[in-house]
């Protein structure tokens, strides 16, 4: 139960619902105890009438009254039980809602390294399957536990008032039950944890398959992936069956023990009635005790089910807590608002990726002022995208310094920093939503005119209006409906509409033709006049108008200067310029 203590704050939050549920449960149990007493009285009335027929007319009246009271008490108990479920189960839904939001919010603040270490399917499983298991603990498990304890307490008190001796005989099987539950619960906990882990594996596998289905079809790997899923599902089924076998032992054992308790009541109660022992002078008492025992049947039988729910919830909450305990490496160190103007300076920056130990940047230094454009060129793996990741503070450096408007980047308000940046990533990510909403992701309050204007500047408006639903066209997952170039341009429109102080373009024109690229670049010249702009590219055409160009090779700056300066120097830039120039002439 150690892991489930995390949920105590929610019980405190919804304490009034919780306490009201307990109060309703107590009242419901009191009403449910009225019928056994009335049944006992009715049997005693019948027994008395058999001995004295003159009591017949009064007996009919008493029996009729008892029947009406039994019906009334049963209805009231039923209504109260319904209200109990409405109070406690609805509370569990509120807790589920809060916990899912808490997990999701925590996911949002975790850094890039966390997402590199963990798979999407596992993250999804913890926020769905695991939270669902926890809700079963907060709702049904807690409700039936409260119901069981209250019913046991009230029923046993009633039983002791009638016959302490028979009550002790009736409760004899319970210690055996407690021992069995303890032993089986331990096994359920272990097997439930293993089963939940396999559910995560299946979620991860299927998520990756659905995301990469085009690659699977292209390589005709459907049958192989089906075999992989079948193998994984088979292993999961085996774990599930092992768990089910243990859980299935509860029901028969509970029924057997309740049956034994009934036999105990009939035998010992009968012997005590024959001997006319105190409290057992009337035959109706045996019937009353049998009803009490049967009232305990469901609570006792539910102990096994509830124990199983608690063990599964414990295993699931442990998995949730593992992530909730992860502290983000990138934290907002100041609550004060920071006004971002756009000057960026790198001073002797070195950076190594912890997961791969690749030294991506080596002694990088440059300064770019507000209103200036910096172009970064270099071969694949030279460290170009890493510079953009450091500016957006997806990672923190350990050597050197990155300054924003003269302030260390770690001292700048993280939310203000990222709100002031419009970034177009190398791999344009679009959501499964309308094109308009994907563009408005950069500015939620944007008008339709602003959306269209941004699309025109990104040279994608003419493509969009040819679609049947135009800007209301709903894209497939990751924007699969659009071509590579269209996705890039929608992503550019999203950055433009944000109107940020800093614009970062990470090789975002690689999938567009040179003519379209020229139009976009001309539009960007106008847009970025008073903004800090960094363009990462493999094309000279994207870099030639920049105020400053730096060339990276294996994480080091090997050349820097303007287009005119670099094209007159021997080196990578000049070679690339003439190579691309000759390719253009051939075309």
């Amino acid at each position: 139960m150690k892991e489930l203590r995390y949920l105590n704050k929610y019980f405190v939050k919804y304490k009034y619902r919780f306490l009201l549920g307990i109060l309703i449960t107590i009242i419901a149990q009191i009403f449910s105890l009225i019928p056994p007493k009335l049944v006992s009285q009715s049997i005693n009335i019948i027994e008395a009438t058999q001995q004295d027929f003159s009591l017949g007319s009064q007996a009919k009246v008493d029996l009729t009254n008892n029947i009406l009271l039994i019906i009334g008490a049963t209805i009231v108990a039923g209504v109260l039980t319904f209200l109990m479920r409405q109070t406690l189960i609805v509370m569990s839904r509120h807790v589920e809602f809060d916990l899912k939001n808490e997990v999701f919010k925590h996911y949002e603040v975790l850094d890039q390294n966390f997402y590199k270490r963990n798979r999407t399917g596992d993250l999804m499983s913890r926020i769905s399957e695991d939270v669902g298991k926890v809700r079963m603990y907060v709702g049904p498990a807690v409700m039936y536990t409260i119901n069981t304890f209250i019913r046991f307490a009230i029923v046993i008190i009633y039983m002791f008032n009638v016959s302490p001796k028979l009550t002790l005989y009736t409760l004899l099987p319970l210690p055996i039950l407690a021992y069995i539950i303890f032993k089986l619960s331990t096994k359920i906990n272990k097997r439930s944890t293993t089963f939940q882990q396999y559910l995560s594996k299946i979620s991860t596998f299927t998520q990756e398959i659905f995301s990469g289905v085009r690659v699977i079809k292209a390589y005709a790997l459907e049958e192989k992936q089906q075999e992989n899923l079948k193998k994984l599902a088979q292993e999961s089924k085996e774990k599930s069956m092992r768990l089910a076998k243990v859980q299935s032992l509860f029901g028969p054992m509970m029924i057997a023990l309740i049956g034994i308790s009934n036999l105990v009541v009939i035998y010992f109660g009968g012997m005590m009635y024959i001997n006319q022992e105190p409290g057992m002078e009337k035959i109706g008492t045996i019937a009353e005790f049998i009803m009490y025992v049967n009232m305990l049947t469901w609570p006792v039988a539910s102990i096994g089910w509830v124990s199983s729910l608690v063990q599964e919830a414990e295993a699931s909450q442990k998995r949730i807590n593992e992530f909730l305990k992860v502290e983000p490496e990138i934290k907002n160190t100041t609550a004060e608002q920071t006004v971002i103007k756009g000057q960026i300076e790198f001073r002797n920056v070195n950076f190594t990726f912890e997961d791969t130990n690749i030294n991506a940047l080596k002694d990088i230094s440059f300064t770019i002022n507000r209103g200036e454009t910096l172009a970064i060129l270099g071969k694949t793996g030279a460290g170009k995208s890493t510079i953009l990741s450091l500016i957006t503070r997806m990672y923190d450096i350990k050597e050197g310094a990155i300054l924003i408007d003269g302030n260390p980047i770690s001292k700048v308000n993280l939310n203000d920093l990222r709100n002031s940046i419009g970034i177009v990533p190398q791999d344009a990510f679009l959501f499964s939503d309308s094109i308009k909403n994907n563009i408005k992701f950069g500015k939620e309050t944007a008008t339709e005119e602003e959306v269209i204007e941004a699309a025109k500047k990104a040279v994608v408006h003419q493509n969009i209006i040819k679609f049947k639903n135009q800007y209301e066209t709903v894209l497939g997952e990751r924007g699969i409906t659009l071509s590579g170039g269209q996705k890039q341009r929608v992503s550019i429109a999203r950055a433009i509409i944000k109107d940020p102080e800093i614009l970062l373009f990470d090789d975002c024109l690689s999938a567009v033709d040179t003519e379209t690229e020229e139009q976009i670049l001309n539009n960007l010249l106008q847009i970025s006049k008073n903004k800090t702009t960094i363009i990462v590219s493999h094309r000279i055409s994207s870099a030639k108008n920049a105020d400053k160009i730096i060339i990276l090779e294996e994480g080091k700056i090997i050349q820097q200067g303007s287009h005119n300066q670099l094209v007159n120097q021997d080196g990578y830039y000049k070679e690339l310029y003439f190579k691309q120039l000759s390719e253009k002439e051939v075309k």
Side-chain angles (χ1 to χ4, degrees):
M1 296 289 287
K2 186 177 83 171
E3 300 293 342
L4 292 174
R5 289 176 192 165
Y6 185 85
L7 301 171
N8 289 346
K9 63 181 182 181
Y10 292 118
F11 287 112
V12 173
K13 180 178 180 180
Y14 297 106
K15 57 183 178 290
Y16 295 116
R17 282 180 177 271
F18 188 54
L19 294 173
L20 179 61
I22 293 174
L23 178 62
I24 293 172
T25 304
I26 293 171
I27 298 171
Q29 294 309 317
I30 291 172
F31 274 93
S32 69
L33 289 172
I34 294 175
K37 183 64 69 177
L38 293 173
V39 168
S40 176
Q41 289 177 6
S42 299
I43 292 174
N44 292 333
I45 289 169
I46 293 169
E47 184 184 24
T49 305
Q50 290 292 317
Q51 296 173 359
D52 186 356
F53 290 105
S54 64
L55 300 174
S57 59
Q58 182 60 40
K60 289 180 181 179
V61 175
D62 291 340
L63 287 173
T64 302
N65 290 336
N66 284 351
I67 290 171
L68 293 174
L69 287 172
I70 289 170
I71 293 171
T74 303
I75 291 172
V76 172
V79 171
L80 289 170
T81 301
F82 169 77
L83 293 175
M84 173 192 72
R85 292 183 62 86
Q86 283 293 301
T87 304
L88 295 176
I89 298 299
V90 169
M91 180 195 78
S92 74
R93 290 296 184 185
H94 283 292
V95 173
E96 180 185 30
F97 174 81
D98 290 346
L99 185 57
K100 280 188 175 181
N101 278 286
E102 182 181 355
V103 174
F104 183 76
K105 187 176 180 180
H106 191 66
Y107 279 172
E108 285 188 308
V109 300
L110 291 172
D111 50 81
Q112 290 284 89
N113 282 330
F114 171 84
Y115 288 99
K116 284 185 176 181
R117 292 191 299 266
N118 295 281
R119 304 173 81 177
T120 304
D122 188 34
L123 299 179
M124 292 167 61
S125 178
R126 298 195 194 209
I127 202 172
S128 55
E129 295 285 343
D130 286 325
V131 172
K133 294 284 186 184
V134 170
R135 187 202 73 80
M136 292 298 288
Y137 158 73
V138 177
V142 168
M143 183 184 73
Y144 285 116
T145 300
I146 294 170
N147 190 49
T148 297
F149 278 113
I150 292 174
R151 177 169 289 191
F152 259 88
I154 295 175
V155 169
I156 290 172
I157 289 170
Y158 268 68
M159 290 167 71
F160 262 89
N161 286 335
V162 176
S163 174
K165 185 177 179 181
L166 185 56
T167 301
L168 290 173
Y169 282 129
T170 306
L171 299 178
L172 277 176
L174 291 183
I176 302 170
L177 173 66
Y179 176 75
I180 292 171
I181 289 172
F182 172 74
K183 298 297 288 184
L184 291 180
S185 293
T186 304
K187 288 187 177 181
I188 286 176
N189 187 26
K190 292 179 181 177
R191 295 185 182 185
S192 178
T193 302
T194 305
F195 176 58
Q196 286 299 111
Q197 289 171 347
Y198 269 85
L199 281 180
S200 287
K201 288 182 180 179
I202 290 177
S203 295
T204 298
F205 180 84
T206 51
Q207 186 271 333
E208 288 183 346
I209 293 301
F210 295 151
S211 295
V213 68
R214 286 192 296 175
V215 177
I216 292 168
K217 287 181 177 292
Y219 285 86
L221 294 173
E222 291 93 337
E223 290 187 11
K224 182 180 177 182
Q225 296 304 328
Q226 286 173 11
E227 286 299 318
N228 290 338
L229 179 60
K230 190 182 293 184
K231 182 180 177 182
L232 197 57
Q234 180 64 30
E235 291 174 349
S236 179
K237 186 184 84 171
E238 290 172 2
K239 304 300 179 186
S240 176
M241 292 302 294
R242 290 185 72 230
L243 176 61
K245 285 177 182 177
V246 179
Q247 292 174 330
S248 65
L249 292 173
F250 276 111
M253 287 182 179
M254 299 308 109
I255 293 170
L257 289 168
I258 295 301
I260 292 170
S261 295
N262 276 318
L263 292 175
V264 167
V265 171
I266 293 170
Y267 177 76
F268 288 103
M271 295 300 293
M272 292 170 69
Y273 172 71
I274 291 170
N275 297 326
Q276 288 292 289
E277 295 186 21
M280 296 299 298
E281 296 87 356
K282 297 180 180 180
I283 192 70
T285 307
I286 296 176
E288 183 179 351
F289 262 75
I290 289 174
M291 289 190 72
Y292 285 145
V293 169
N294 283 293
M295 283 180 67
L296 297 176
T297 301
W298 168 241
V300 172
S302 72
I303 290 173
W305 179 61
V306 167
S307 178
S308 174
L309 290 180
V310 171
Q311 294 298 331
E312 289 178 359
E314 172 85 3
S316 292
Q317 188 62 44
K318 182 179 180 181
R319 284 165 45 80
I320 294 170
N321 289 347
E322 286 173 355
F323 279 177
L324 291 177
K325 289 175 183 175
V326 175
E327 289 291 331
E329 295 175 11
I330 310 298
K331 294 182 179 179
N332 195 358
T333 58
T334 178
E336 294 182 11
Q337 189 174 3
T338 306
V339 177
I340 306 296
K341 295 179 180 178
Q343 187 196 52
I344 301 170
E345 182 181 356
F346 275 53
R347 288 184 188 170
N348 308 113
V349 172
N350 289 276
F351 180 74
T352 301
F353 286 102
E354 292 182 4
D355 53 339
T356 59
N357 207 33
I358 294 174
N359 192 358
L361 298 177
K362 303 167 187 175
D363 198 31
I364 299 295
S365 296
F366 65 83
T367 301
I368 174 172
N369 296 312
R370 175 183 173 87
E372 292 182 345
T373 298
L374 170 70
I376 306 175
L377 279 73
K379 296 177 181 177
T380 301
K384 304 183 298 297
S385 297
T386 303
I387 289 177
L388 301 191
S389 294
L390 294 180
I391 292 172
T392 54
R393 212 179 155 214
M394 293 298 174
Y395 303 95
D396 275 341
I397 58 171
K398 294 181 179 178
E399 296 181 46
I402 300 174
L403 307 177
I404 304 294
D405 299 327
N407 301 310
I409 194 169
S410 60
K411 303 295 183 183
V412 174
N413 186 294
L414 185 60
N415 294 327
D416 292 334
L417 174 67
R418 290 178 178 170
N419 281 330
S420 68
I421 295 174
I423 184 167
V424 184
Q426 190 172 7
D427 182 18
F429 186 97
L430 300 180
F431 295 91
S432 183
D433 201 339
S434 66
I435 294 175
K436 180 173 74 174
N437 286 342
N438 266 284
I439 295 174
K440 288 178 69 174
F441 193 81
K443 183 183 177 183
E444 291 184 8
T445 58
T447 62
E448 190 166 346
E449 290 74 19
E450 288 176 308
V451 171
I452 294 171
E453 183 62 26
K456 286 180 177 179
K457 289 176 180 176
V459 196
V460 72
H461 173 71
Q462 292 301 321
N463 296 109
I464 295 172
I465 60 174
K466 291 178 182 177
F467 297 144
K468 180 181 178 181
N469 295 318
Q470 298 187 358
Y471 281 87
E472 297 299 330
T473 301
V474 176
L475 305 179
E477 187 177 3
R478 294 174 177 265
I480 197 172
T481 313
L482 305 179
S483 68
Q486 289 169 343
K487 284 196 291 185
Q488 285 186 335
R489 284 176 284 160
V490 170
S491 188
I492 291 170
R494 183 164 62 192
I496 289 172
I497 203 170
K498 189 177 182 181
D499 192 28
E501 285 71 25
I502 300 171
L503 282 167
L504 306 177
F505 299 100
D506 189 0
D507 201 18
C508 60
L509 297 173
S510 58
V512 302
D513 58 81
T514 52
E515 184 180 342
T516 304
E517 179 191 26
E518 192 67 31
Q519 293 179 52
I520 295 171
L521 290 172
N522 287 335
N523 291 338
L524 290 180
L525 279 175
Q526 301 299 318
I527 294 166
S528 61
K529 276 185 177 179
N530 297 312
K531 303 181 188 301
T532 304
T533 307
I534 299 180
I535 300 174
V536 168
S537 182
H538 289 282
R539 294 178 180 176
I540 296 294
S541 54
S542 296
K544 64 182 181 180
N545 293 322
D547 298 291
K548 184 184 293 183
I549 302 168
I550 61 174
I551 310 299
L552 292 180
E553 185 177 289
E554 295 182 353
K556 296 179 180 178
I557 296 177
I558 57 171
Q559 283 184 290
Q560 59 180 312
S562 65
H563 170 74
N564 291 331
Q565 290 171 335
L566 293 175
V567 83
N568 291 311
Q569 293 178 12
D570 291 334
Y572 177 87
Y573 189 86
K574 184 177 181 180
E575 291 174 7
L576 185 65
Y577 173 72
F578 284 110
K579 178 183 177 183
Q580 292 184 0
L581 185 64
S582 61
E583 288 175 354
K584 188 175 181 180
E585 289 174 351
V586 169
K587 290 179 182 178

